[in-house]
């Protein structure tokens, strides 16, 4: 009897987003739990999504954390609770506004993209380490030293890391990141994380880090909880 055909699931994410980290950890755990899921990591630029979704829809699209009451709820309750439930070691940085809005993630996402193009086998671990830096250890994800330290931490050679840094402004890197961002927008996204499940040749958009039972339903799989024993987060 032939094995069932795998269903592609795309995760569009940005390391500036703690909710993206939760979705990333759960989906990378479930690669070995849901046998029919082929997970594709798609780094994109959340700032571009926020700006372009406003233009495309002729409306405003404010990040949730910029709504004062919602931002306070997110930082005090929602993100810590989700981190505890999913066993993702999230700790709110001293200045979350600086991490999310003031310094931005464009350079970090270009660095990940440069690595992803030439060494896709490193993408998962590098992405995880940048989240660990920003949303666990309150370290930077903004400059050359930050990226080199992150790469070294996960065993990426200095040669590969420096080559990726040198390619951050190359057209193929910028175009790949732009392509990922545009494709997510074309699917109808408005933020991160964006999950696209391809079922019966139809893309199904699932938004956020709290819709895994819905994703399981779409994939005809069983949601079995956080699967914390499969965590790859190393403190």
């Amino acid at each position: 009897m032939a094995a069932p055909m795998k269903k592609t699931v795309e995760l569009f994410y940005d390391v500036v987003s703690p909710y993206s980290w939760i979705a990333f950890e759960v989906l990378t755990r479930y690669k070995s739990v849901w046998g029919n899921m082929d997970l594709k990591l798609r780094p994109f630029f959340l700032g571009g999504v926020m700006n372009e979704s406003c233009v495309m829809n002729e409306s405003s699209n404010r990040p949730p954390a910029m709504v004062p009451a919602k931002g306070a709820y997110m930082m005090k309750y929602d993100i810590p609770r989700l981190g505890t439930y999913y066993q993702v070691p999230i700790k709110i940085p001293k200045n979350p506004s600086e991490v999310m809005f003031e310094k931005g993630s464009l350079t970090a996402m270009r660095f990940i993209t440069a690595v992803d193009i030439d060494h896709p086998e490193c993408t998962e671990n590098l992405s995880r380490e940048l989240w660990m830096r920003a949303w666990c250890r309150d370290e930077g994800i903004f400059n050359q030293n930050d990226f080199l330290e992150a790469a070294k931490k996960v065993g990426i050679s200095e040669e590969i890391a420096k080559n990726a840094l040198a390619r951050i402004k190359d057209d193929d890197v910028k175009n790949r990141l732009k392509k990922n961002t545009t494709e997510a927008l074309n699917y109808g996204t408005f933020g991160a994380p964006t999950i696209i499940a391809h079922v019966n040749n139809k893309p199904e958009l699932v938004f956020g880090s709290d819709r895994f039972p819905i994703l399981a339903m779409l994939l005809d799989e069983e949601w079995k909880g956080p699967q914390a024993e499969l965590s790859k987060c190393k403190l």
Side-chain angles (χ1 to χ4, degrees), residues 119 148 151 156-166:
H119 297 277
L148 291 176
I156 297 174
S157 72
E158 185 177 1
E159 179 183 2
I160 290 174
K162 286 188 174 180
N163 183 63
L165 279 174

Side-chain angles (χ1 to χ4, degrees), residues 60-80:
S60 62
N61 184 11
R62 297 178 67 192
M66 293 189 73
V67 179
K70 186 178 289 186
Y73 167 75
M74 285 169 51
M75 298 303 158
K76 187 175 181 180
Y77 297 113
D78 197 41
I79 294 172

Side-chain angles (χ1 to χ4, degrees), residues 97-115:
S97 179
E98 178 183 67
V99 175
M100 292 189 291
F101 309 123
E102 295 170 21
K103 291 192 174 180
S105 62
L106 180 59
T107 305
M109 297 314 296
R110 283 182 178 172
F111 181 65
I112 291 174
T113 301
V115 171

